[in-house]
Amino acid sequence: MKILIVDDEKDVEMLFRQKFRREIRNGSLELVFAFSGADALNILEETDPPKVVYVFSDINMPGMTGLELLEKIKTKFPQINVSMISAYGDSDNYNKALTSGAKGFFTKPIDFESLKKEIQSLMG
Amino acid sequence: MVLENIISIFILRYLQKRLPDAEAYLKWHKILKVGMLLAVTFIILGYSPIGSRVLIHGLSLALVGLIIYGVFKVPEFNQAKTIAYAVLPYLGLSLVSEVIDIISPSFYESIETLLDTAGFFAFLWAVALWYLSRKQKKALELERQKSEEREKEYRLTEKIKAQLEKEVAQRTQDLVKKKEALEKALNELKATQDQLILSEKMASLGELTAGIAHEIQNPLNFVNNFSEVSNELIQELREELKKDHTQRDKENEADLMEDIAQNLEKITYHGKRAEAIVKSMLQHSRKDNGKREPTDINKLADEYLRLSYHGLRAKDKSFNADFKLELDENLPILEVVPQDLGRVLLNLINNAFYAASEKKKLLEDEGEGKDFKPTVVVTTSLEQKGVKITVRDNGNGIPEEVKTKVFQPFFTTKPAGAGTGLGLSMSYDIITKGHGGDLSVISKPGEYSEFIIHLRQD
């Protein structure tokens, strides 16, 4: 299963790769990373249909915000699951994300246990 | 004969008029009166048939002679000398003719015409001398008047001078009082200014807090996450090590070790990042004027651009903007006061974000703005004599009439309460007075504003 993680903090990649070390090693999970909304869209558009099934995106990014990215993904690829990860867990962001079609809303610091559960539920 | 007595009366009268009325001169007044009485008596006697004509003439001559003698001898009467000189020839001639007439009447008769002519000339002499003396007297009088006037003028000038000096002293006193009052007001203003600068610092610190919190939260998350994940990796490594050595995955072990080492590096890195942010926050709030220190301008620009962005982001959830950093990698290290320059950058960048997002709001109100992306671009570049930093936004720009005022204290276009109006004026002071640099603005209304900082390399 291919998952895309969007965050402008580059160290997120290393963190996720280690957190999902086992899953990556046994081939059940493939992680790709984008550091901006525009990057993310490029990755999704690489193949048709996109191989990515789940996108986790930060909200607070320069340029395109996570919420804007969410709207764009939901318009172009409604089948892809999108969840938001934000340092700002206020109700404004939360409501906006959910009404725009986000599957979940995670706050930073990321609780990897619940994140894993979320991914596992999708892997079945 | 009458003439001699008239001369006597004339001289006496002249002396009498000029003799002071004081007690000491009472004797002389009496003598003059007696003299005049005698002269009058002699005139009357001269016309009466009584007495000898020669005797009366002689007495008259004696009287006038005595008077002239007095004029020369008595100091008080010296002023009549001129009259004496005028009449002397005539009196002398009169005496001589009388003596000749007595001694030899026939000889007298033979020279009578000559004597008459001489008498006429003596008379002329008297008149001429009198005329000259009068003229001289008038000139003297004029001179006296002039000198009197000069004296008067001098006294007047002195009076005016004294008055002026008094006024000057009064004015000086007033000015000293005013100066003291102004000094007091100035000191109060300075104190108020210090207070304002401090509150502006505190206000900008307030603006910073949200950004700082976010900026610290991020590295802290990494510190926590990386230590947590490292623990997991160590656990995994232990499990691996417990296995029988034929089953051990050496490659995996090496990977785990490598990851753990990298994580520790990351923990250090993000710990330092948080520390740097705290340090710069402390620097920013420092009350005293900071010292210049070697500063990486690019790092400072990056740091404050992020602080500004996250600060605004944290404060206003709907805020979003694009920002770009175009840094010249060849910048020299400059001696600046980092917290001051940081404050300037924060102010300029905050303003830029504000301007760009205001335009976005304006466009959205008009139902447009879908394609408008608020953008702030911070650039640094090397110049011949220093460094140029620009902060550019694609907001609505600054109208020409406002452009001249933006650096004035208390000038603000923000709604009441939203800005102190001190940000740009303080920034201007920090750049020009604090760093000897230059802060200017260019703008195209409706399109962009760009603030330009020039810093000299000393």
Side-chain angles (χ1 to χ4, degrees):
Chain A
M1 192 172 72
K2 198 169 182 174
I3 289 174
L4 172 64
I5 291 130
V6 191
D7 200 314
D8 60 326
E9 289 273 3
K10 295 200 164 130
D11 282 344
V12 162
E13 175 168 2
M14 204 172 138
L15 189 65
F16 270 76
R17 287 201 187 285
Q18 291 183 11
K19 276 286 181 184
F20 293 97
R21 207 178 122 75
R22 281 175 213 259
E23 291 82 352
I24 294 166
R25 265 170 70 84
N26 65 32
S28 64
L29 200 63
E30 190 188 343
L31 296 182
V32 277
F33 292 86
F35 304 113
S36 72
D39 268 2
L41 287 175
N42 283 339
I43 289 169
L44 293 180
E45 281 160 359
E46 265 171 15
T47 57
D48 187 27
K51 284 178 182 156
V52 173
V53 297
Y54 207 150
V55 176
F56 289 92
S57 176
D58 185 20
I59 289 182
N60 206 14
M61 293 182 292
M64 192 188 297
T65 67
L67 292 172
E68 283 169 334
L69 178 66
L70 167 68
E71 274 183 43
K72 284 194 171 135
I73 294 173
K74 280 291 157 190
T75 329
K76 279 187 179 171
F77 318 104
Q79 75 280 12
I80 299 178
N81 290 305
V82 183
S83 279
M84 309 312 293
I85 301 174
S86 175
Y88 305 108
D90 53 278
S91 53
D92 263 17
N93 272 341
Y94 181 83
N95 293 335
K96 215 171 172 187
L98 291 204
T99 50
S100 300
K103 189 166 185 295
F105 194 98
F106 299 87
T107 52
K108 281 182 180 178
I110 305 164
D111 174 8
F112 280 95
E113 284 312 307
S114 57
L115 202 70
K116 267 185 184 173
K117 271 182 198 158
E118 171 72 15
I119 292 168
Q120 272 159 5
S121 75
L122 217 74
M123 290 198 295
Chain B
M1 193 169 65
V2 180
L3 204 59
E4 282 86 351
N5 285 309
I6 288 172
I7 290 167
S8 291
I9 292 167
F10 180 74
I11 295 174
L12 290 170
R13 181 85 192 124
Y14 182 89
L15 292 175
Q16 196 187 36
K17 264 202 259 176
R18 279 154 186 81
L19 197 65
D21 275 333
E23 188 88 22
Y25 299 103
L26 216 63
K27 190 182 84 181
W28 284 114
H29 275 290
K30 269 184 189 165
I31 292 170
L32 290 175
K33 265 184 196 161
V34 171
M36 266 188 276
L37 266 173
L38 276 175
V40 171
T41 312
F42 291 153
I43 291 170
I44 297 163
L45 283 176
Y47 282 108
S48 71
I50 326 157
S52 149
R53 195 200 64 87
V54 175
L55 180 69
I56 293 165
H57 194 202
L59 283 171
S60 300
L61 278 172
L63 178 67
V64 79
L66 195 68
I67 291 166
I68 286 169
Y69 175 79
V71 165
F72 283 102
K73 272 289 163 193
V74 182
E76 283 87 347
F77 296 159
N78 275 350
Q79 45 189 327
K81 266 182 186 173
T82 324
I83 305 170
Y85 284 128
V87 297
L88 260 181
Y90 175 77
L91 291 176
L93 196 68
S94 174
L95 182 69
V96 169
S97 8
E98 187 63 40
V99 170
I100 291 171
D101 197 14
I102 293 165
I103 296 166
S104 165
S106 58
F107 181 65
Y108 176 80
E109 255 166 62
S110 68
I111 58 163
E112 200 175 357
T113 334
L114 189 71
L115 286 171
D116 278 350
T117 316
F120 175 68
F121 278 111
F123 180 72
L124 266 187
W125 160 263
V127 170
L129 216 61
W130 171 78
Y131 176 74
L132 280 174
S133 121
R134 240 179 84 102
K135 212 173 147 188
Q136 204 179 19
K137 230 180 186 172
K138 268 189 185 166
L140 272 171
E141 181 67 16
L142 208 69
E143 194 59 39
R144 196 182 55 81
Q145 268 178 10
K146 270 188 192 164
S147 89
E148 234 169 50
E149 247 161 55
R150 272 201 293 273
E151 179 75 13
K152 226 167 120 184
E153 255 172 45
Y154 174 74
R155 258 184 262 131
L156 197 70
T157 317
E158 282 295 303
K159 211 175 136 191
I160 292 170
K161 206 175 120 191
Q163 180 67 25
L164 275 175
E165 263 167 20
K166 214 172 125 190
E167 274 174 27
V168 166
Q170 182 63 36
R171 293 257 171 92
T172 312
Q173 206 186 4
D174 288 353
L175 281 174
V176 166
K177 267 187 200 158
K178 274 187 191 149
K179 188 193 134 231
E180 278 165 3
L182 280 174
E183 265 175 3
K184 203 180 147 214
L186 185 67
N187 283 337
E188 278 168 10
L189 270 176
K190 272 186 185 159
T192 314
Q193 193 190 27
D194 286 348
Q195 199 61 42
L196 276 170
I197 287 172
L198 191 65
S199 43
E200 169 68 24
K201 274 187 187 180
M202 288 304 142
S204 67
L205 185 67
E207 280 170 20
L208 271 180
T209 352
I212 286 167
H214 181 269
E215 284 293 276
I216 294 175
Q217 189 61 51
N218 264 341
L220 279 182
N221 287 342
F222 279 118
V223 169
N224 291 335
N225 290 332
F226 277 116
S227 20
E228 210 180 277
V229 83
S230 295
N231 253 330
E232 291 167 22
L233 295 180
I234 286 168
Q235 198 58 40
E236 207 181 322
L237 189 61
R238 274 186 184 143
E239 276 166 26
E240 198 69 47
L241 289 173
K242 270 185 209 160
K243 284 181 190 165
D244 186 69
H245 106 109
T246 49
Q247 281 185 316
R248 271 169 62 182
D249 185 344
K250 296 272 171 160
E251 203 186 318
N252 191 23
E253 280 173 24
D255 278 355
L256 283 167
M257 289 294 280
E258 183 57 33
D259 281 353
I260 291 165
Q262 271 183 21
N263 289 354
L264 290 177
E265 263 174 41
K266 287 288 168 196
I267 288 168
T268 315
Y269 168 78
H270 287 287
K272 287 221 169 109
R273 204 176 130 194
E275 185 190 303
I277 291 159
V278 171
K279 258 189 194 163
S280 75
M281 182 182 74
L282 288 177
Q283 261 184 348
H284 189 85
S285 63
R286 209 177 283 165
K287 201 178 163 186
D288 57 308
N289 287 330
K291 280 182 191 143
R292 289 194 182 202
E293 49 191 82
T295 306
D296 182 343
I297 302 296
N298 283 344
K299 222 178 113 191
L300 200 72
D302 179 41
E303 187 183 327
Y304 277 91
L305 179 57
R306 295 172 68 88
L307 280 177
S308 167
Y309 175 79
H310 290 298
L312 292 168
R313 188 79 188 89
K315 230 170 38 177
D316 176 9
K317 303 296 178 299
S318 67
F319 167 83
N320 190 51
D322 208 353
F323 60 81
K324 268 185 222 141
L325 259 176
E326 288 166 11
L327 302 176
D328 185 340
E329 296 305 323
N330 301 316
L331 284 199
I333 294 296
L334 283 192
E335 291 273 339
V336 298
V337 186
Q339 68 266 34
D340 282 355
L341 188 59
R343 191 172 296 126
V344 173
L345 288 171
L346 182 75
N347 183 251
L348 296 181
I349 296 168
N350 275 349
N351 285 348
F353 275 128
Y354 178 84
S357 55
E358 278 298 295
K359 186 179 179 181
K360 171 102 175 161
K361 277 185 200 163
L362 222 73
L363 287 172
E364 275 170 354
D365 287 348
E366 289 165 8
E368 292 168 42
K370 274 274 169 202
D371 301 322
F372 178 72
K373 189 84 202 163
T375 308
V376 171
V377 185
V378 177
T379 73
T380 61
S381 52
L382 187 62
E383 288 198 312
Q384 242 184 354
K385 283 177 190 165
V387 167
K388 181 166 107 171
I389 310 168
T390 68
V391 178
R392 187 185 174 110
D393 64 72
N394 60 350
N396 263 326
I398 305 166
E400 202 57 41
E401 65 270 19
V402 171
K403 222 159 92 178
T404 52
K405 294 183 201 157
V406 292
F407 297 117
Q408 286 173 8
F410 304 111
F411 179 81
T412 181
T413 57
K414 291 179 184 171
T420 57
L422 283 175
L424 277 180
S425 81
M426 263 180 65
S427 297
Y428 189 81
D429 281 356
I430 288 171
I431 298 298
T432 56
K433 286 183 200 155
H435 291 87
D438 190 36
L439 177 61
S440 57
V441 60
I442 53 170
S443 174
K444 191 170 177 191
E447 292 192 15
Y448 73 90
S449 295
E450 182 172 293
F451 284 82
I452 304 158
I453 302 171
H454 288 281
L455 291 173
R456 265 194 287 276
Q457 189 178 14
D458 298 318

